[in-house]
Amino acid sequence: MRFSIYRYDPDADTEPYMQDYVLEDCPADMMLLDALLLLKEQDETLGFRRSCGEGVCGSDAMNINGRNGLACVTPLSSLSAPVVLRPLPGRPVIRDLVVDMEQFYKQYRAVKPWLQNSEPEPEVERLQTPVERDQIDGLYECILCGCCSTACPSFWWNPERFLGPAALLQACRFLADSRDDATEERLQTLDDAYKLFRCHSIMNCVDVCPKGLNPTSAIGRIKQMMLKKTV
Amino acid sequence: MSIPRRKFDTLVIGAGGAGLRAALQLSQDEAMVAVVSKVFPTRSHTVAAQGGINASLANVTDDNWHWHMFDTVKGSDYLGDQNAIEYMCRAAPRIVYELEHIGVPFSRLDNGKIYQRAFGGQSQNFGGDQAARTCAAADRTGHAILHALYQQNIAARTHFFDEYFSVDLISDDDGYILGALVVDIASGEPLIIEAKTTLLATGGAAQIFRTSTNAHINTGDGMGMALRAGIPLQDMEFFQFHPTGIAGKGMLITEAARGEGGYLVNGNGERFMPNYAPNAKDLASRDVVSRAIAVEIREGRGCGPDKDHVLLKVDHLGADVVHKRLPGICDMTRAFLNIDPAEQAIPVFPTAHYTMGGIPTNRFGQVVVPVSSGPEDEVPGLYAAGECACVSIHGANRLGGNSLLDILVFGRASANHITGYLSEHRHHRELSESSVDKAMQRLLRWDTKGEGESVAGLRNDLKRVMEEHCGVFRTEDVLAEGLDKVIALEKRLPDVRLTDHSRQFNTARIEALELENLMDVAIATVCSALSRQESRGAHSRIDYPERNDVNWLKHSLFYKKDRQLDYKPVHVKPMTVDTFTPKERVY
């Protein structure tokens, strides 16, 4: 299998370039991350992040043949050769496939992604019916890999002002949680021409999410909650 | 060369559940906390924990902490310290309620309480009927807990050093641990973090094996740091092999699959666990189930063309249950096997999973070593919690659902003790320059250029040797040969050279530093395993098939210097209740 991989080491390179690699005898069920690990045995200067290897930690997000995804759960058999690997789009490159995610994390922190409840704490669990609990399915599973936000044209244009699909999904996760009572304040903060309303329902986020989540629909739910509040 | 310095009250190394639980409490107590993690916190391996966390909430079956304690002691094959186990089991309900309060999205019962499922080794009434003690957020409990803890740490404004690698502990001449030398992975620059206390929360080390359920990052970094600081590792012969890793690949299939009613079948289509554990069947302890699978395969009753695995069936539970209760497993089997477990059985094989051993601590999280007055003198300023530590809660075999509990209970216990320590030690001590130099030497060694073998080559050899010589079943001959081989590999370490000498995000250099840790942990494991001449829990010696309480009811301690072994007694006396005396262990 042939690979063409984005390379850039600011210590050594004046500008980025694409480097070709070949990997012989790839087994049919091989994942892209396995291939990258073997390529790194050939050339240890190749830089990328990885950890769990099973799609739950969100480390190895990258642009694979033009589409964002996680290398560890992308079968080689699903890719046409040469496999073109680039860093996630729109973020500053630190080195090779490693990007600086700080702006992405900053927007995550901006939605105050923690449960807020001002009631006194009971000595046991707060009750929540299965139906109430179901409201956060499809929201809490996010692994912060960044595939969605870095595939979003609105986030490319306004990464400082538009929160992006990942952060908005988190905002919705707490708005939808029956145990959270900061709804009013959360909605007020989000009611902004840029933070939320720069989403134009392009739906790249839904297309690329490796966990099958739907940030566009979460954004829609937030808008509905705002509407309900005003009428 | 002058190395920049930062000063904090307390340093936490590792941002999994143990580190983040401790950091959260310390930040809320207004200590200045630095958390150093080689990955962004939510990428820590706690995120991969699936099935749940044990606590005797009694939401589903009758339950209490004393039954939980009995199961844990029995599960440990009586090597667990009963004072620490009592402490943990008593603390469990409160820890879980607290998680619920900070936002963990636990699955719910119809009455609105936290959902609990059955897990291996759980019983009511000291060995009676199956209990349902494992609190779950579907099969993504670790993810749910880790994210909630990180989120609360953001709220508490904990200071994070994300993607910083810890090289070594630094100390003074009186033996106080005063922080660590770390390196910023992005820039390659070293940094000294001075702290009055240091908590090691660096997780496990199953990456010493070729196939494991562990993340690539689980390289035993804290254990390596401890060994190099002259601290022994305890009970390293006890490595848990999880019965159900995906065959040939290693990804974990949670015990919850069996807790929800799944079972194992062999190549004859026979459900075999009742032959090994007539009562608990597929929910016997993990060591028991892993050995049963290994025996089935060894005796020719494996599945597949090579008869090299068994099958885990959940397809009889119905698509609703499987998709609702085990969604993560469905994702995983779809991605890696292209099957839906609601329709097809999953090929599984016992896979290296959990490091029962680790850095010796007491139940306050203080690292303890035999120095002068007894077997357990505290190392001033040093704490350890979670999988890198050995309290010992898990003894010779950990129960499923007890590791998420362990990290939180002892993350909290460490934070409690650190708060007291900080109030008594208000000022930073002067650190010894020679300890900084020593740590820097370790880092600079990898700047040496020239011909040599590669990190990957040596690492692959190490993993293969560990798999072949230190697996589920062990013998004197195989272990002794394994030890010779591992020592030979260690001798090659000085000849390893990097070809990448860039400063920027140099992952090759990080992997080299990790390899040194893997090597130390592997040697500790083989040495400890070779010496223990009995079978107990996960340590199964064909040449010594019985447990031997007369000679071996004791913890082993491995020192890096001269590969020395020492032993210390098990705490068989609990805090308040009667001792559970060793009995034959049947499920």
Side-chain angles (χ1 to χ4, degrees):
Chain A
M1 191 108 176
R2 287 177 303 129
F3 297 83
S4 172
I5 304 181
Y6 180 100
R7 300 299 313 270
Y8 177 62
D9 174 1
D11 258 4
D13 307 321
T14 49
E15 57 186 47
Y17 60 98
M18 298 301 288
Q19 184 172 348
D20 293 335
Y21 290 92
V22 178
L23 203 58
E24 308 287 350
D25 305 325
C26 300
D29 60 348
M30 193 180 218
M31 292 290 177
L32 175 58
L33 178 62
D34 302 326
L36 276 169
L37 293 170
L38 289 176
L39 291 177
K40 193 171 173 66
E41 290 189 9
Q42 289 175 21
D43 174 5
E44 69 182 16
T45 69
L46 178 60
F48 55 91
R49 294 186 176 106
R50 85 286 180 272
S51 178
C52 76
E54 54 187 38
V56 299
C57 80
S59 297
D60 62 351
M62 56 188 70
N63 188 268
I64 306 160
N65 280 351
R67 192 170 180 272
N68 291 351
L70 298 179
C72 61
V73 290
T74 301
L76 274 191
S77 57
S78 69
L79 302 172
S80 59
V83 178
V84 180
L85 300 179
R86 293 173 181 276
L88 289 175
R91 299 286 87 227
V93 174
I94 299 174
R95 176 175 172 172
D96 300 340
L97 299 173
V98 178
V99 295
D100 181 347
M101 297 277 279
E102 182 47 33
Q103 186 60 33
F104 172 84
Y105 297 137
K106 204 168 157 186
Q107 299 297 42
Y108 169 71
R109 295 194 296 267
V111 302
K112 297 196 174 169
W114 55 85
L115 192 87
Q116 296 178 47
N117 185 311
S118 49
E119 296 291 316
E121 277 187 358
E123 75 284 16
V124 292
E125 69 265 62
R126 291 196 181 92
L127 299 182
Q128 188 175 44
T129 67
V131 174
E132 288 169 333
R133 169 60 185 75
D134 284 350
Q135 295 301 306
I136 50 178
D137 275 344
L139 299 171
Y140 81 94
E141 302 92 328
C142 171
I143 58 173
L144 299 176
C145 63
C147 284
C148 59
S149 293
T150 61
C152 172
S154 297
F155 191 74
W156 295 339
W157 279 107
N158 291 293
E160 283 88 22
R161 299 176 74 184
F162 173 51
L163 292 170
L168 290 167
L169 185 92
Q170 287 294 330
C172 188
R173 179 247 174 276
F174 289 100
L175 284 164
D177 194 322
S178 62
R179 301 169 298 171
D180 188 280
D181 63 11
T183 308
E184 196 76 6
E185 188 198 320
R186 290 184 191 279
L187 288 178
Q188 216 159 18
T189 319
L190 292 170
D191 194 357
D192 174 284
Y194 277 89
K195 284 179 186 167
L196 173 78
F197 288 98
R198 281 286 132 170
C199 168
H200 300 305
S201 304
I202 300 166
M203 294 182 76
N204 280 4
C205 53
V206 184
D207 183 46
V208 299
C209 177
K211 305 307 286 181
L213 308 178
N214 190 330
T216 306
S217 130
I219 292 166
R221 278 168 77 178
I222 298 175
K223 287 178 181 167
Q224 269 177 356
M225 283 185 235
M226 280 179 180
L227 198 66
K228 246 189 217 158
K229 196 179 72 155
T230 49
V231 292
Chain B
M1 174 180 161
S2 142
I3 306 162
R5 294 184 179 200
R6 301 279 297 269
K7 277 190 181 180
F8 290 85
D9 291 326
T10 185
L11 167 63
V12 175
I13 302 179
L20 290 188
R21 176 60 184 77
L24 176 59
Q25 178 174 337
L26 290 162
S27 284
Q28 288 170 340
D29 281 351
E30 294 179 1
M32 287 285 289
V33 184
V35 178
V36 168
S37 173
K38 65 179 176 177
V39 292
F40 180 75
T42 64
R43 326 243 182 259
S44 307
H45 196 50
T46 299
V47 82
Q50 298 172 355
I53 172 169
N54 292 341
S56 55
L57 307 186
N59 286 356
V60 173
T61 56
D62 231 7
D63 208 358
N64 65 60
W65 66 263
H66 202 189
W67 298 349
H68 182 187
M69 178 185 171
F70 168 80
D71 291 340
T72 303
V73 172
K74 178 182 172 187
S76 81
D77 221 347
Y78 299 92
L79 193 71
D81 288 313
Q82 297 195 19
N83 57 345
I85 294 174
E86 176 177 344
Y87 175 77
M88 178 180 81
C89 296
R90 278 177 176 274
R94 181 177 154 183
I95 279 283
V96 169
Y97 292 139
E98 173 199 281
L99 290 174
E100 196 283 322
H101 295 157
I102 66 166
V104 173
F106 284 110
S107 301
R108 298 292 172 147
L109 297 162
D110 285 339
N111 64 9
K113 292 184 175 183
I114 292 171
Y115 174 75
Q116 293 189 284
R117 59 164 56 112
F119 243 53
Q122 297 181 348
S123 73
Q124 302 179 58
N125 206 15
F126 310 107
D129 291 345
Q130 175 74 42
R133 188 177 293 138
T134 305
C135 310
D139 60 354
R140 302 189 180 100
T141 316
H143 170 282
I145 291 174
L146 186 67
H147 279 251
L149 283 171
Y150 180 59
Q151 291 161 347
Q152 292 293 333
N153 269 286
I154 300 173
R157 290 184 292 178
T158 302
H159 198 107
F160 282 98
F161 290 83
D162 295 337
E163 298 185 326
Y164 278 67
F165 186 89
S166 296
V167 179
D168 259 324
L169 296 169
I170 49 183
S171 56
D172 69 6
D173 296 332
D174 296 330
Y176 282 75
I177 301 298
L178 301 171
L181 176 77
V182 303
V183 56
D184 177 1
I185 298 174
S187 70
E189 296 297 328
L191 171 71
I192 293 168
I193 297 187
E194 287 190 60
K196 298 168 208 168
T197 67
T198 303
L199 171 64
L200 294 170
T202 53
Q207 278 292 326
I208 59 173
F209 295 100
R210 194 163 62 123
T211 309
S212 86
T213 65
N214 280 200
H216 292 282
I217 56 172
N218 289 19
T219 49
D221 300 336
M223 297 178 192
M225 280 190 272
L227 281 174
R228 285 188 297 274
I231 294 160
L233 294 187
Q234 180 177 325
D235 294 341
M236 287 303 289
E237 60 272 44
F238 299 103
F239 246 97
Q240 180 164 81
F241 291 81
H242 195 291
T244 58
I246 293 182
K249 294 171 189 273
M251 294 83 194
L252 175 66
I253 301 296
T254 173
E255 191 165 305
R258 283 169 286 135
E260 295 288 343
Y263 59 86
L264 298 161
V265 294
N266 63 19
N268 305 331
E270 178 198 6
R271 182 175 180 182
F272 57 85
M273 274 316 296
N275 306 337
Y276 299 86
N279 297 315
K281 302 184 183 76
D282 296 83
L283 285 178
S285 260
R286 287 179 179 172
D287 57 334
V288 174
V289 182
S290 282
R291 273 194 296 275
I293 296 172
V295 168
E296 288 296 309
I297 291 168
R298 204 173 53 186
E299 295 181 355
R301 293 189 296 277
C303 301
D306 299 325
K307 296 181 183 293
D308 58 356
H309 60 269
V310 297
L311 292 173
L312 172 61
K313 275 171 68 71
V314 292
D315 52 342
H316 57 289
L317 300 175
D320 284 357
V321 171
V322 174
H323 294 156
K324 177 84 185 168
R325 297 293 180 207
L326 305 167
I329 291 311
C330 294
D331 283 355
M332 194 105 69
T333 52
R334 262 183 229 124
F336 290 96
L337 298 167
N338 202 20
I339 63 170
D340 178 353
E343 290 169 5
Q344 227 176 316
I346 308 167
V348 294
F349 187 78
T351 307
H353 179 58
Y354 187 86
T355 321
M356 261 84 69
I359 304 158
T361 73
N362 59 23
R363 69 179 175 86
F364 306 105
Q366 294 175 285
V367 174
V368 288
V369 295
V371 180
S372 51
S373 57
E376 299 190 331
D377 289 347
E378 298 99 15
V379 178
L382 186 62
Y383 295 77
E387 194 172 340
C388 74
C390 184
V391 186
S392 161
I393 290 302
H394 311 300
N397 171 65
R398 175 173 72 75
L399 291 188
N402 267 355
S403 72
L404 284 176
L405 181 60
D406 170 13
I407 61 179
L408 295 161
V409 167
F410 292 101
R412 169 170 165 266
S414 302
N416 287 343
H417 201 278
I418 287 170
T419 300
Y421 184 97
L422 290 176
S423 70
E424 285 163 21
H425 300 77
R426 306 192 78 82
H427 306 290
H428 287 270
R429 296 170 68 93
E430 195 69 30
L431 53 84
S432 115
E433 291 305 322
S434 71
S435 91
V436 175
D437 290 346
K438 217 172 122 195
M440 272 308 286
Q441 284 312 311
R442 176 168 183 241
L443 194 57
L444 294 173
R445 170 258 178 272
W446 292 105
D447 290 344
T448 314
K449 292 177 184 166
E451 290 293 303
E453 75 168 303
S454 71
V455 168
L458 187 55
R459 186 179 56 213
N460 290 343
D461 287 352
L462 177 67
K463 286 169 177 243
R464 199 169 311 116
V465 169
M466 289 306 290
E467 184 152 293
E468 286 166 7
H469 292 272
C470 216
V472 174
F473 287 112
R474 301 165 171 182
T475 65
E476 176 100 22
D477 294 349
V478 173
L479 285 166
E481 197 188 331
L483 181 58
D484 289 345
K485 286 184 179 171
V486 178
I487 290 169
L489 293 176
E490 189 192 28
K491 290 202 177 113
R492 281 160 52 189
L493 201 45
D495 299 323
V496 177
R497 293 286 178 275
L498 292 179
T499 53
D500 185 351
H501 295 281
S502 167
R503 288 172 303 137
Q504 319 285 335
F505 218 98
N506 186 334
T507 47
R509 180 160 73 155
I510 299 304
E511 288 184 18
L513 294 164
E514 289 173 336
L515 173 62
E516 292 175 331
N517 293 328
L518 288 172
M519 191 66 80
D520 282 340
V521 172
I523 291 174
T525 303
V526 186
C527 278
S528 308
L530 178 60
S531 296
R532 185 173 286 269
Q533 297 180 333
E534 65 158 351
S535 288
R536 183 186 296 270
H539 177 65
S540 218
R541 290 281 300 256
I542 293 172
D543 42 356
Y544 299 96
E546 300 299 323
R547 192 176 75 199
N548 179 344
D549 291 323
V550 177
N551 297 326
W552 288 102
L553 186 59
K554 58 187 180 185
H555 296 296
S556 46
L557 295 169
F558 170 89
Y559 291 81
K560 183 173 164 70
K561 189 170 186 294
D562 303 327
R563 297 192 284 276
Q564 216 180 359
L565 275 164
D566 192 3
Y567 293 89
K568 70 174 185 183
V570 174
H571 288 270
V572 290
K573 195 167 164 30
M575 287 159 50
T576 65
V577 291
D578 289 340
T579 297
F580 291 111
T581 48
K583 283 197 192 114
E584 198 195 348
R585 197 161 150 259
V586 283
Y587 283 100

